[in-house]
Amino acid sequence: MNGVTIGSLELKGNLFLAPVAGYTDRAFRSICCELGADFSYTELISSEALTRNPRHYALDSPVNCSSGTLTPGAALIKRGRGEKRYGIQLFGANPDVLGRACALLAPLGPDAVDLNAGCPVPKVTKTGAGSALMRDPLRLGHILEVMVRSSREHLGNVPVTVKMRAGWDNNSINYLECARTAVEAGAAMVSLHPRTRAQGYGGKSSWSFIADLVTRLPVPVAGSGDLYTPEDARHMFDETGCAALMFARGAMGNPFIFSTTKSLLAAGTWTPPGKTERLEIALRHLEMLAEDLGERRACLEMRKQFCAYTKGINGGAALREKIVRSETVAKYRELLL
C-alpha cells in the first residue's frame, strides 16, 4: 500500500471510500475510517440545494452537536468522528452555483472538493448534472475552473477532484477527453468508474479504461468499479497501475473491506470478520447515527444498512425480518447481541 499526493493533500494510504448516495453519511464514514479507510467522500450534495438553503446543512454550527440535533443535511456533509481527511462531493450543472457552493464549505474545512460527473440517476442527469456533464466537456471544464478558483479564494486552495464514468453510452466513450479537459481546468485527481451511464451498475466495468487513463494524465487516477473483495483490490492495482482505489458498493455493510485489503496487501492473507464482529460494528454504526439524527430517524435510516450488514450471514434473512419492525436502539441491540 502506497501513499498518494493530490495537489496539496498528502495521504499516507490509497484506499478510499467512494461517495455513495444514501450510504456515506458521517456515521458510516467514521466507521470506515476506524477500519482503515485512508480518505472518504460524502455522498453527492446538491449545489443548488446548498446555495438555496445553507441552514439545512448547519454549516456554521459545531460539528459535535448534542444528541439528535443535526439536520439530515448536516449528517451528510459534516466531518465524522475520527475522520482526519475527507472530501465533499458536489453535483450540479451551473458553474456559478457550484462556485458559490464551494465557498460555503469553508466553515467545514474539507480536505478536498469533488465534482460528480458520474451519477447515472435520471433525476440528476435530467438537470444536466452527474454523468450528463460528460456530454458537454466544455461545460465540465468551465465548472472545474470556477470550482478551483473558488477553492483558491475561500478554502485555502484545497484540491478539487472529479469522479466520472467511461462515457454516456457505448457510442460516446469519451473519458479521456473529459479527463484531459478536467486536468487542464485544474482538477488534481480524476476518479474513473469505467462503466457508461447507460450501463448504470449492470454489466462489467472496463478496468482497461483505468489503465489507459493512468498512462495519459499527469495527476493521480483513482479506480472504482467491481471492488468487492481484497483480491479485487489487489487485481485492480496490478492491472491498472492506479494511484488509489475507491470502494463503493463493496463497502456497503462491509466496512471491514479496508482492514482486510490492507492485510492482504501487506501480509498476503486476510481473515473475514465473524458474525459477532459484523453485528457489533453494525450496532455501533446505528448508535453513532442516533447521536446525529435522534433514535427514531436513525432506526429507520439504518434498515437498509442492516440489510447489507447481515447479507450472507447465518440466520440473516430471519434477522432482517425482525429488524424492519424495530424502532429503538434497545430493540436492535436485543436482536443483534
Side-chain angles (χ1 to χ4, degrees):
M1 186 182 67
N2 301 312
V4 59
T5 299
I6 306 167
S8 59
L9 175 64
E10 295 185 3
L11 299 170
K12 294 182 179 180
N14 56 359
L15 302 182
F16 299 172
L17 174 64
V20 181
Y23 284 92
T24 53
D25 54 42
R26 70 190 293 261
F28 185 66
R29 299 197 315 268
S30 297
I31 292 291
C32 290
C33 288
E34 287 182 10
L35 291 170
D38 298 303
F39 196 70
S40 51
Y41 281 98
T42 69
E43 67 172 84
L44 70 173
I45 304 294
S46 168
S47 57
E48 296 282 353
L50 181 62
T51 53
R52 284 198 307 267
N53 187 18
R55 293 183 61 185
H56 176 68
Y57 297 91
L59 300 178
D60 294 317
S61 67
V63 172
N64 296 318
C65 300
S66 58
S67 180
T69 60
L70 287 183
T71 65
L76 297 180
I77 202 170
K78 287 184 178 291
R79 189 184 298 267
R81 307 156 186 80
E83 195 174 25
K84 295 180 180 179
R85 295 285 186 269
Y86 91 123
I88 296 174
Q89 187 186 70
L90 300 174
F91 79 92
N94 185 309
D96 293 336
V97 172
L98 279 153
R100 295 200 304 273
C102 279
L104 288 172
L105 301 179
L108 303 177
D111 300 283
V113 179
D114 189 71
L115 173 65
N116 183 309
C119 181
V121 176
K123 70 177 181 180
V124 172
T125 59
K126 71 180 183 181
T127 68
S131 56
L133 288 175
M134 299 191 70
R135 305 182 80 177
D136 190 350
L138 290 178
R139 176 177 289 273
L140 173 66
H142 183 40
I143 287 172
L144 285 165
E145 287 176 353
V146 173
M147 291 177 67
V148 168
R149 185 164 60 248
S150 183
S151 171
R152 187 182 307 121
E153 295 174 356
H154 302 285
L155 302 179
N157 203 30
V158 302
V160 174
T161 61
V162 60
K163 190 169 189 290
M164 63 180 60
R165 287 198 165 225
W168 182 254
D169 56 29
N170 286 334
N171 295 318
S172 55
I173 304 294
N174 65 341
Y175 65 88
L176 180 56
E177 177 189 2
C178 289
R180 283 175 166 166
T181 299
V183 173
E184 289 171 0
M189 182 179 75
V190 175
S191 304
L192 180 64
H193 180 168
R195 284 182 171 90
T196 64
R197 187 282 316 172
Q199 280 182 280
Y201 297 99
K204 186 175 177 60
S205 59
S206 301
W207 288 5
S208 61
F209 294 164
I210 300 173
D212 177 52
L213 206 56
V214 167
T215 66
R216 297 174 182 270
L217 295 186
V219 301
V221 173
S224 182
D226 296 334
L227 294 172
Y228 297 103
T229 68
E231 286 81 7
D232 292 337
R234 182 171 63 184
H235 291 156
M236 179 175 279
F237 278 132
D238 290 345
E239 293 178 21
T240 72
C242 61
L245 56 78
M246 288 187 173
F247 290 104
R249 288 178 293 164
M252 301 304 98
N254 184 29
F256 307 95
I257 192 71
F258 298 99
S259 57
T260 54
T261 297
K262 287 186 174 182
S263 177
L264 178 67
L265 296 178
T269 62
W270 64 280
T271 302
K275 177 179 178 180
T276 298
E277 186 178 5
R278 288 175 68 172
L279 295 182
E280 286 177 345
I281 286 294
L283 183 59
R284 175 161 165 71
H285 183 174
L286 170 62
E287 291 170 342
M288 293 170 68
L289 193 59
E291 290 177 7
D292 283 354
L293 298 178
E295 184 174 49
R296 179 172 174 75
R297 182 186 290 272
C299 288
L300 293 174
E301 288 287 328
M302 278 298 293
R303 287 176 180 174
K304 64 177 183 290
Q305 297 272 14
F306 271 105
C307 287
Y309 275 112
T310 57
K311 185 178 181 180
I313 69 173
N314 185 34
L319 188 56
R320 287 191 290 274
E321 288 182 6
K322 297 177 181 178
I323 282 172
V324 296
R325 296 189 293 273
S326 301
E327 297 183 355
T328 67
V329 174
K331 185 62 177 178
Y332 272 90
R333 187 180 292 113
E334 176 186 326
L335 291 171
L336 298 177
L337 301 181

